Amino acid sequence: MLDIFICEDNDKQLLKIKKLIEDTVLIEDYDMKVVMTSSDPKDIINYTKEKRNKGIYFLDIDLGVKNINGFVLAQEIRKYDNYGYIIFITSHSELSYLTFVYKVEAMDFIIKDNYENIKHKIKDCLKVINARDSTNNNGRNLIIKSNDRIINIDFDEIIYFETSQEAHKILLHGETRDIEFFGNMKNIEIELDERFYRCNRSYIVNRNKIKEIDILNRIIYLKNGDQCLVSFRKIKNLLSKKN
């Protein structure tokens, strides 16, 4: 399920946006839920920092808070959610170019010109997000951002993931290369299919790349020669999936 966040300093507009989103999710039966509405951007930042889930963010630009506008909030969100969907809703159409200046990879920029336009735009955004998220979950490729590169890597090329020694980073070990990128294991798990298994907090392995499992010592030997530890409570489930 995708969490939805709304940050808007006008209470009446916040309620209208919330209703539009919830009505669309209900009618279309999307696997989404509004989990937070707030006029304080710090609420969104703290929640995202703690949960680190992939989410959908509807953000006003002028939030009435010193030193934090919608663009700055989006930058903070990106520190903890690389794959989330950011949509700006604002009366200031002249600020649209700043989405590129702040480099937050916004999905859309909705102008508060009239109710029907906002309604139409929100419905379109949620429709596209639902289609993309379904495709990512069921597809055979993972798209990751590493430094200034966008990398599309086939699931069959991935051997395993492990948490990096550098905070908030993950190491992807592939057939031909290793890639380090910002992210967290929980979000990566969401993007993968049934061939991948989270064997402990630090590793996600491609079950098709497992060469041998040492049950006594709880060690997974992979086809590239690397080893991963599997937790006591997960080894039984791993064995059942392997068979």
Side-chain angles (χ1 to χ4, degrees):
M1 176 178 289
L2 286 172
D3 294 341
I4 300 176
F5 305 83
I6 307 168
C7 195
E8 165 66 63
D9 66 336
N10 184 302
D11 290 341
K12 288 184 179 180
Q13 291 184 1
L14 189 151
L15 290 174
K16 284 183 180 180
I17 294 168
K18 182 175 184 284
K19 187 176 189 308
L20 285 173
I21 293 170
E22 290 184 331
D23 286 350
T24 302
V25 169
L26 179 64
I27 292 169
E28 301 296 337
D29 194 27
Y30 292 149
D31 191 20
M32 306 170 184
K33 182 181 180 181
V34 176
V35 297
M36 177 175 286
T37 63
S38 179
S39 60
D40 187 346
K42 292 179 182 177
D43 291 339
I44 308 294
I45 294 169
N46 291 335
Y47 188 100
T48 307
K49 184 177 181 180
E50 179 183 356
K51 299 296 182 180
R52 297 179 181 272
N53 293 333
K54 181 180 178 181
I56 305 169
Y57 307 87
F58 289 88
L59 310 178
D60 188 14
I61 292 177
D62 186 2
L63 296 170
V65 179
K66 187 177 180 181
N67 298 326
I68 302 181
N69 59 29
F71 295 121
V72 174
L73 172 56
Q75 285 184 321
E76 288 299 308
I77 288 169
R78 279 286 178 246
K79 292 179 181 179
Y80 313 110
D81 184 355
N82 287 326
Y83 304 102
Y85 303 94
I86 293 174
I87 301 108
F88 293 110
I89 304 181
T90 180
S91 302
H92 303 284
S93 59
E94 72 278 6
L95 299 179
S96 60
Y97 77 96
L98 288 175
T99 58
F100 302 101
V101 174
Y102 281 84
K103 299 179 181 178
V104 292
E105 300 177 36
M107 179 181 183
D108 208 344
F109 195 93
I110 301 174
I111 306 302
K112 295 178 184 176
D113 50 2
N114 64 71
Y115 180 83
E116 286 302 317
N117 178 63
I118 296 172
K119 179 180 179 181
H120 176 71
K121 285 281 195 176
I122 286 176
K123 289 178 68 175
D124 278 354
C125 284
L126 294 178
K127 182 179 180 180
V128 170
I129 290 169
N130 181 68
R132 287 183 184 176
D133 203 60
S134 298
T135 300
N136 286 342
N137 287 338
N138 297 325
R140 297 175 56 87
N141 296 284
L142 179 68
I143 300 173
I144 59 176
K145 182 178 180 182
S146 177
N147 297 321
D148 294 326
R149 297 178 298 155
I150 302 295
I151 302 169
N152 191 328
I153 185 166
D154 193 287
F155 282 176
D156 287 335
E157 294 295 314
I158 301 171
I159 300 173
Y160 71 102
F161 299 88
E162 68 171 320
T163 54
S164 172
Q165 292 183 350
E166 188 172 344
H168 312 310
K169 281 193 172 184
I170 293 173
L171 279 169
L172 182 157
H173 298 273
E175 294 281 2
T176 59
R177 57 179 172 169
D178 295 339
I179 305 168
E180 187 175 50
F181 60 98
F182 283 102
N184 66 80
M185 294 299 238
K186 190 171 183 179
N187 281 350
I188 289 296
E189 235 180 328
I190 294 172
E191 300 290 330
L192 302 173
D193 64 15
E194 68 280 351
R195 83 192 78 179
F196 292 90
Y197 187 73
R198 181 84 176 267
C199 57
N200 69 23
R201 293 184 65 181
S202 299
Y203 297 102
I204 298 175
V205 299
N206 185 338
R207 294 186 293 109
N208 295 337
K209 306 296 183 181
I210 294 176
K211 181 179 181 181
E212 182 182 341
I213 301 175
D214 183 337
I215 300 173
L216 181 63
N217 295 302
R218 302 197 306 277
I219 298 174
I220 296 171
Y221 295 92
L222 296 157
K223 291 181 179 179
N224 68 340
D226 289 355
Q227 303 175 17
C228 296
L229 294 175
V230 54
S231 70
F232 178 81
R233 68 185 182 86
K234 290 200 171 186
I235 192 164
K236 184 176 180 179
N237 193 32
L238 174 61
L239 292 170
S240 67
K241 287 177 178 291
K242 188 63 180 171
N243 295 332

